[in-house]
Amino acid sequence: MTNPSIFSKTEISLESFKDLLPFFFEEIREDLKVLKQLDTFRDIEEIRSLAHKLKGSSACYAAYLMSASAKALQDYVESNNTEQTKKLIKEFEKAMHITHDYAKEYFNI
């Protein structure tokens, strides 16, 4: 028999969420720095893997604009279109800045 509490939502206080946001954005910035240094032609699998990580991390923090942008990058990177991949990386960075600005205003971080 499965314990139903394993599947229940975890409640987190707004204060705890606010405390975690700076760490989230710090990690995202580090991952983005790595992503921007990768060769968009040779490092396809590493870019895809990092985009997958960014997509999941962003979704966990309800940063849906960032998550959608990372998903687009993850889905597209295997097409070997270097220019479009670079464009999607820039779009993710823009989504991160928009989300960070909103978090600063809304959560006072």
Side-chain angles (χ1 to χ4, degrees):
M1 184 165 165
T2 305
N3 181 347
S5 65
I6 292 172
F7 300 105
S8 65
K9 281 188 168 181
T10 301
E11 294 293 326
I12 184 168
S13 71
L14 182 58
E15 200 59 39
S16 295
F17 184 73
K18 284 172 53 173
D19 290 343
L20 292 173
L21 279 174
F23 298 107
F24 165 68
F25 284 110
E26 182 179 323
E27 183 177 333
I28 293 293
R29 279 191 202 94
E30 289 300 316
D31 288 342
L32 183 59
K33 188 185 305 182
V34 170
L35 187 61
K36 290 168 81 175
Q37 293 173 350
L38 294 173
D39 183 317
T40 56
F41 186 72
R42 288 190 327 203
D43 299 320
I44 292 171
E45 183 53 35
E46 193 167 351
I47 293 169
R48 191 206 60 75
S49 178
L50 198 49
H52 179 77
K53 177 185 175 194
L54 291 167
K55 177 185 76 174
S57 297
S58 298
C60 286
Y61 279 83
Y64 298 120
L65 181 62
M66 291 170 57
S67 184
S69 183
K71 180 180 182 345
L73 175 60
Q74 178 187 351
D75 291 346
Y76 196 83
V77 72
E78 294 177 7
S79 72
N80 290 329
N81 184 328
T82 302
E83 289 307 310
Q84 184 64 16
T85 299
K86 287 179 183 179
K87 180 181 175 193
L88 289 169
I89 290 169
K90 286 180 183 180
E91 285 182 18
F92 177 82
E93 184 173 23
K94 182 179 177 182
M96 182 202 64
H97 287 298
I98 290 168
T99 304
H100 186 256
D101 289 348
Y102 178 81
K104 283 184 352 188
E105 182 178 330
Y106 186 77
F107 295 110
N108 296 318
I109 62 167

